[in-house]
């Protein structure tokens, strides 16, 4: 009997010893996530950028149409000159041809330069907006006491690796997406 009680006490002590083992370092570590693509779709700076892009496109298209119209008019005038060349000098024909060629070249250069300018503007302003979003994410995470924040995006079209969560029992309480939008001055749309 003493031997059985002694073994039971040793087993009980060993079980208590294992339960007192140090806890993993990740326990107490707060994790959260944000839907960055959702934030970028809804933040007012992005909507302003989209409006600015549309406005610039219209301006560029209007100017290009004017240049194309001027080219077309001068080209037609040149063709009319070529139908009746009596009384015209070679110099006047060459001058008109050079004018038409310069107008065409000017329109083509304008189109290429405007597309490049628009792409650069989009790239620069988008980068600035994304940096602001990232800074706001860091601020919100620090305010709420989170140590790690994951990016969860709806699609992989952005060529970045997406964090995949296989299970989350938080029912959305660790989703900082709306908090980031609010911090940036945007009212989140109703889901």
């Amino acid at each position: 009997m003493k031997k059985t009680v002694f073994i039971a006490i040793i087993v009980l002590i060993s079980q208590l010893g294992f339960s007192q083992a140090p806890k993993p370092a990740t326990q107490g570590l707060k994790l959260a996530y944000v839907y960055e693509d959702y934030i970028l779709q809804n933040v007012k700076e992005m909507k302003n950028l989209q409006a600015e892009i549309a406005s610039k496109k219209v301006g560029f298209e209007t100017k290009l149409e004017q240049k194309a119209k001027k080219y077309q008019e001068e080209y037609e005038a040149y063709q009319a000159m070529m139908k009746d060349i009596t009384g015209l000098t070679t110099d006047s024909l060459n001058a008109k041809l050079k004018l038409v060629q310069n107008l065409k070249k000017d329109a083509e250069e304008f189109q290429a330069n405007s597309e490049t300018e628009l792409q650069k503007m989009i790239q620069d302003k988008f980068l600035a907006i994304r940096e602001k979003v990232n800074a706001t994410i860091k601020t919100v995470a620090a305010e709420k006491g989170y140590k790690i924040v994951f990016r969860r995006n709806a699609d992989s079209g952005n060529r970045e690796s997406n964090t995949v969560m296989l299970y989350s029992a938080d029912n959305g309480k660790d989703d900082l997406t709306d908090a980031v939008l609010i911090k940036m001055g945007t009212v989140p749309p109703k889901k």
Side-chain angles (χ1 to χ4, degrees):
M1 180 79 175
K2 282 185 178 184
K3 192 175 187 182
T4 307
V5 172
F6 180 72
I7 292 175
I9 290 174
I10 290 182
V11 169
L12 183 62
I13 290 173
S14 67
Q15 289 297 324
L16 288 174
F18 286 121
S19 67
Q20 296 296 324
K23 295 181 180 175
T26 58
Q27 197 166 32
L29 183 67
K30 288 181 74 175
L31 304 175
Y33 55 91
V34 295
Y35 290 97
E36 185 184 50
D37 55 349
Y38 176 80
I39 291 170
L40 290 171
Q41 288 171 0
N42 291 292
V43 73
K44 65 184 173 188
E45 287 89 343
M46 188 60 82
K47 292 179 181 186
N48 293 342
L49 176 59
Q50 290 169 341
E52 186 177 352
I53 291 167
S55 174
K56 271 213 185 273
K57 273 186 176 181
V58 168
F60 286 148
E61 288 170 358
T62 301
K63 219 172 200 180
L64 185 60
E65 286 172 8
Q66 291 169 349
K67 289 180 178 293
K69 184 178 177 185
K70 179 73 173 163
Y71 164 74
Q72 190 64 34
E73 289 170 356
E74 291 296 329
Y75 181 71
E76 288 172 2
Y78 173 74
Q79 285 183 326
M81 283 176 64
M82 292 301 290
K83 287 181 182 176
D84 184 21
I85 58 171
T86 54
L88 296 174
T89 65
T90 306
D91 289 338
S92 65
L93 287 173
N94 286 339
K96 191 68 165 178
L97 178 60
K98 187 161 179 74
L99 173 68
V100 170
Q101 289 172 339
N102 286 341
L103 287 173
K104 182 178 182 181
K105 182 180 175 186
D106 182 50
E108 290 170 347
E109 286 177 357
F110 176 79
Q111 183 176 13
N113 291 339
S114 61
E115 288 173 2
T116 301
E117 182 182 331
L118 189 62
Q119 287 301 320
K120 176 136 178 55
M121 182 202 76
I122 292 169
Q123 183 179 12
D124 292 345
K125 293 197 175 196
F126 179 76
L127 182 61
I129 292 168
R130 192 162 189 192
E131 287 174 357
K132 184 175 181 182
V133 167
N134 287 337
T136 306
I137 289 170
K138 289 176 186 175
T139 301
V140 170
E143 288 173 356
K144 296 189 176 275
Y146 289 95
K147 301 294 181 197
I148 297 174
V149 178
F150 294 102
R151 175 186 299 134
R152 284 181 73 179
N153 286 335
D155 64 352
S156 60
N158 60 6
R159 296 187 181 173
E160 293 182 16
S161 63
N162 292 323
T163 301
V164 177
M165 291 187 176
L166 299 176
Y167 177 75
S168 177
D170 68 343
N171 293 324
K173 72 178 174 75
D174 292 328
D175 182 357
L176 299 179
T177 306
D178 287 343
V180 171
L181 280 172
I182 291 168
K183 186 78 165 181
M184 294 186 77
T186 300
V187 177
K190 298 203 185 297
K191 296 178 183 177

